[in-house]
Amino acid sequence: MVEQINNILADINGWLWGWIMIFLLLGTHIFLTIRLRFPQRYIWKAIRLSIKKDKGSRGDVSQFGALATSLAATIGTGNIVGVATAVALGGPGAVLWCWLTGLFGIATKYAEGLLAIKYRVKDKDGKYKGGPMYALERGLGWKKMAIFFAACTAIASFGIGSTVQANAIATLSQQTYGISPILMGIIIAFFTGLVVIGGIKSIARVCSMLVPFMALFYIFGCIYILIINGAYVWPAIKLIVESAFSEKAAGGGFAGSTIMLAARYGIARGLFSNESGLGSAPIVAAAAQTRNPVRQALVSSSGTFWDTIVICALTGIVIVSSILAYPDIDHNDGATLTNMAFSKIPYIGAPLLTFGLLTFAFSTILGWELYGERAIDYFNRKPYRYYYRVIYIFSVFAGSTMQLAIVWNLADCMNALMAIPNLLSLLFLSGVLVKETREYLWSNQLDKPNDEG
């Protein structure tokens, strides 16, 4: 019975995340890039804003805290093993398609952040709440679609957020250090509960400390590997570019792949990695302290830059250059590729990879707990929030010890069902996006406050 359900979910998942979804997501990325006059050109301004405190603004957490929390949920095992899997299945050209998806996805993340502030609300406790469900309800009057999005988000949080990530930590700890999954499950659940019991401010505080540290640690590790593979870095970059638009065999130990395969796996991995268009990141962006929607929109867009333009690109070049340097290594499996690349760092290679995966997975648990909790809050039943926290913490423990094939498929389905209403809200509210962008960004009035800020 369980196997049958899993097979059904796998079929639904394969259809939902097929070419129709890829075209919808990538099409939205390109449409918003053109409609908003290439907001990617403001990325350095966005990065500067992300580390500045917006004095006199209203919100629950700093702009950097909101960004760090969304990055915590976004930067995960997909940035490491996921990119390697894309290379294994789609060839080296998949790296470029992944990167291009992130480049265009900056516009979509900008749009999500803008609508999050534009349509956010202040509840009875004085807390700011927003996200696609509020944009759907307040911006378009689509109440039922808003409820649907919130329900899918809450369900998805138990998949991509808690069980899957906890299982990755427990499996890695057992394989590397022989730690019992039950013991590791108890430890993860304890620390998760310790953080989430304090709500968004506690989660943002931990993520603000954890995310920069873990990202820099991982980036320096990648740079070190690229120094070791120095003679193969430029050939790897050339191979990535050529393979993205070439039908011929890639060479250097690769069997070669078609343009369609490279595009399919590269785009899909990029979309999963940066979550632009999924609708998750604007949920926390809505709580940011900002004086107008466009300032937070810019800060939100910088998340996709760091996640895909930097981290995924570095990972991809590390993987491809390592395969060129060691062509006898089996490169048909993402996990094997990743382990092989990082094993080239003497002494600290394996611990670096382990630490990166552990911290990335734990931060994802924290970020998605907030997404799920805010989705539950949308139904205006305050006690449900506390029930959700208890169930979420328990699911972290359960995920450490269970088989997760069915959970993965269910989570993927819910993520697709989140993306559809969110993308519709972005497309139908594109006029609002242009109006707000013209008022604050194109007219150089980013310091101007407004009622939503």
Side-chain angles (χ1 to χ4, degrees):
M1 182 65 177
V2 173
E3 186 176 349
Q4 285 182 316
I5 295 174
N6 186 51
N7 290 336
I8 292 172
L9 286 173
D11 290 339
I12 295 173
N13 179 45
W15 181 80
L16 286 173
W17 283 106
W19 280 110
I20 294 177
M21 177 62 77
I22 289 176
F23 281 129
L24 178 60
L25 275 161
L26 191 58
T28 302
H29 290 349
I30 296 172
F31 170 77
L32 290 174
T33 293
I34 297 171
R35 187 89 161 91
L36 298 172
R37 301 181 188 176
F38 293 83
Q40 293 88 340
R41 59 199 172 105
Y42 298 102
I43 193 63
W44 301 118
K45 183 187 292 290
I47 293 172
R48 288 195 298 271
L49 286 175
S50 70
I51 57 176
K52 290 174 60 177
K53 187 173 181 179
D54 198 355
K55 296 180 180 179
S57 58
R58 286 172 283 177
D60 299 327
V61 296
S62 67
Q63 289 182 314
F64 180 75
L67 174 64
T69 304
S70 66
L71 279 174
T74 304
I75 299 177
T77 54
N79 296 82
I80 305 176
V81 179
V83 173
T85 301
V87 173
L89 297 174
V95 176
L96 181 62
W97 286 107
C98 177
W99 188 84
L100 288 173
T101 302
L103 179 65
F104 286 108
I106 289 174
T108 301
K109 192 63 73 74
Y110 168 91
E112 290 177 317
L114 194 157
L115 294 183
I117 299 297
K118 175 70 177 177
Y119 294 110
R120 71 180 179 179
V121 299
K122 193 174 184 180
D123 67 13
K124 295 178 181 178
D125 298 326
K127 304 296 184 183
Y128 286 92
K129 295 175 182 177
M133 51 277 204
Y134 295 91
L136 286 163
E137 179 186 354
R138 302 183 70 215
L140 294 169
W142 296 356
K143 178 70 174 180
K144 291 182 179 178
M145 190 72 83
I147 293 173
F148 177 76
F149 176 88
C152 289
T153 302
I155 295 172
S157 70
F158 291 106
I160 189 174
S162 60
T163 53
V164 168
Q165 304 300 329
N167 188 268
I169 294 174
T171 301
L172 183 64
S173 299
Q174 183 182 37
Q175 293 175 349
T176 307
Y177 302 108
I179 301 174
S180 164
I182 294 177
L183 175 60
M184 182 52 64
I186 293 172
I187 294 172
I188 305 168
F190 172 77
F191 281 105
T192 299
L194 205 62
V195 177
V196 304
I197 197 171
I200 184 172
K201 291 186 178 180
S202 175
I203 294 174
R205 191 182 308 115
V206 172
C207 291
S208 295
M209 293 185 293
L210 185 62
V211 168
F213 175 71
M214 71 182 191
L216 285 173
F217 195 61
Y218 178 74
I219 288 171
F220 285 140
C222 288
I223 292 173
Y224 184 81
I225 295 174
L226 292 178
I227 292 174
I228 294 176
N229 296 345
Y232 299 93
V233 171
W234 180 243
I237 294 173
K238 287 179 61 179
L239 182 59
I240 287 170
V241 175
E242 291 171 359
S243 299
F245 305 103
S246 173
E247 298 284 350
K248 64 182 181 181
F254 290 98
S257 63
T258 66
I259 295 174
M260 294 298 287
L261 274 178
R264 176 186 174 186
Y265 288 108
I267 292 171
R269 177 45 49 206
L271 296 174
F272 271 112
S273 173
N274 58 56
E275 295 184 9
S276 293
L278 187 62
S280 51
I283 295 175
V284 66
Q289 296 167 346
T290 184
R291 70 187 70 181
N292 62 61
V294 172
R295 288 178 72 95
Q296 182 55 37
L298 288 169
V299 172
S300 294
S301 71
S302 68
T304 299
F305 171 82
W306 293 118
D307 174 89
T308 307
I309 303 300
V310 176
I311 293 180
C312 283
L314 276 175
T315 302
I317 298 172
V318 163
I319 295 298
V320 177
S321 65
S322 295
I323 293 174
L324 292 179
Y326 312 97
D328 56 323
I329 300 295
D330 176 21
H331 54 268
N332 294 315
D333 176 73
T336 301
L337 274 177
T338 307
N339 288 327
M340 177 271 296
F342 280 84
S343 68
K344 302 309 173 184
I345 303 180
Y347 307 112
I348 66 168
L352 172 64
L353 178 60
T354 301
F355 178 80
L357 289 171
L358 288 175
T359 53
F360 283 8
F362 181 67
S363 67
T364 301
I365 290 174
L366 297 180
W368 269 93
E369 192 283 334
L370 178 61
Y371 294 160
E373 184 175 317
R374 286 301 168 93
I376 294 294
D377 281 347
Y378 177 72
F379 298 103
N380 291 320
R381 296 290 189 273
K382 190 173 181 179
Y384 291 179
R385 178 194 309 170
Y386 304 109
Y387 301 152
Y388 172 82
R389 288 180 184 176
V390 172
I391 297 172
Y392 191 88
I393 293 168
F394 176 77
S395 72
V396 169
F397 170 77
S400 302
T401 58
M402 64 189 290
Q403 295 296 318
L404 295 177
I406 191 170
V407 177
W408 259 118
N409 284 320
L410 179 61
D412 286 346
C413 288
M414 291 300 105
N415 284 343
L417 294 176
M418 286 171 61
I420 293 170
N422 178 59
L423 292 171
L424 290 175
S425 72
L426 295 173
L427 294 172
F428 279 92
L429 292 171
S430 62
V432 175
L433 295 170
V434 171
K435 178 178 178 294
E436 296 288 326
T437 302
R438 179 181 293 113
E439 181 176 353
Y440 297 102
L441 184 58
W442 297 341
S443 60
N444 278 324
Q445 296 193 75
L446 279 175
D447 292 333
K448 178 183 174 182
N450 80 334
D451 293 336
E452 286 84 11

